[in-house]
């Protein structure tokens, strides 16, 4: 079973101008690399965060981060072999990754200039 989720961050030019070689570096460190670690940790902790979610043995957790115009698009794909879906894990992972980007970029732009948008499930397979 797999699930793919996506979140979009709307960011100002100041953040996009900090993007070099596919990464944003802020005083807190490399933003995208840190977001991937945070998102992966969130995937593994979903059952601790959302009531009635079962702990799962996640066998796949991949992130993809891209920027276009003034948007940062984050995707998380989770997978496992089992009888239950992994959509909550994918949605939790992408949400925490997006919040991590937001948190780390507020050191270079006012936080009110950014917004997390369109957290959604793109695909789910059995």
């Amino acid at each position: 079973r797999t699930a793919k989720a996506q979140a979009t961050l709307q960011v100002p030019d100041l953040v996009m101008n900090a993007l070099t070689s596919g990464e944003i570096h802020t005083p807190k460190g490399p933003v995208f690399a840190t977001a991937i670690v945070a998102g992966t940790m969130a995937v593994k902790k979903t059952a601790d965060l959302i009531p009635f979610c079962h702990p799962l043995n996640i066998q796949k957790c991949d992130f993809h981060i891209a920027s276009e115009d003034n948007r940062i698009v984050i995707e998380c794909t989770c997978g496992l072999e089992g009888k239950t879906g992994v959509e909550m894990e994918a949605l939790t992972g992408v949400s925490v990754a997006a919040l991590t980007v937001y948190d780390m970029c507020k050191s270079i732009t006012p936080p009110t200039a950014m917004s997390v948008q369109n957290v959604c499930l793109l695909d789910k397979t059995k």
Side-chain angles (χ1 to χ4, degrees), residues 34-98:
T34 305
I36 290 169
V37 171
T40 302
M41 291 171 65
V43 164
K44 295 171 78 169
K45 291 288 188 181
T46 299
D48 295 333
L49 300 170
I50 300 176
F52 310 115
C53 276
H54 302 291
L56 301 178
N57 182 23
I58 301 296
Q59 295 166 312
K60 175 183 180 179
C61 180
D62 294 322
F63 282 85
H64 179 261
I65 301 177
S67 59
E68 47 193 58
D69 301 323
N70 279 60
R71 295 178 316 175
I72 296 170
V73 179
I74 303 170
E75 293 181 354
C76 174
T77 303
C78 294
L80 59 71
E81 290 183 26
K83 294 184 178 185
T84 187
V86 289
E87 66 273 13
M88 293 311 300
E89 286 73 15
L91 287 163
T92 301
V94 81
S95 297
V96 169

Side-chain angles (χ1 to χ4, degrees), residues 19-38:
L19 181 65
T20 56
S21 301
E23 179 63 277
I24 297 172
H25 294 275
T26 69
K28 289 186 172 186
V31 175
F32 295 164
T34 305
I36 290 169
V37 171

Side-chain angles (χ1 to χ4, degrees), residues 100-117:
T100 300
V101 173
Y102 181 97
D103 178 57
M104 293 184 75
C105 288
K106 68 185 184 185
S107 65
I108 59 173
T109 192
T112 55
M114 299 180 290
S115 64
V116 177
Q117 304 172 345

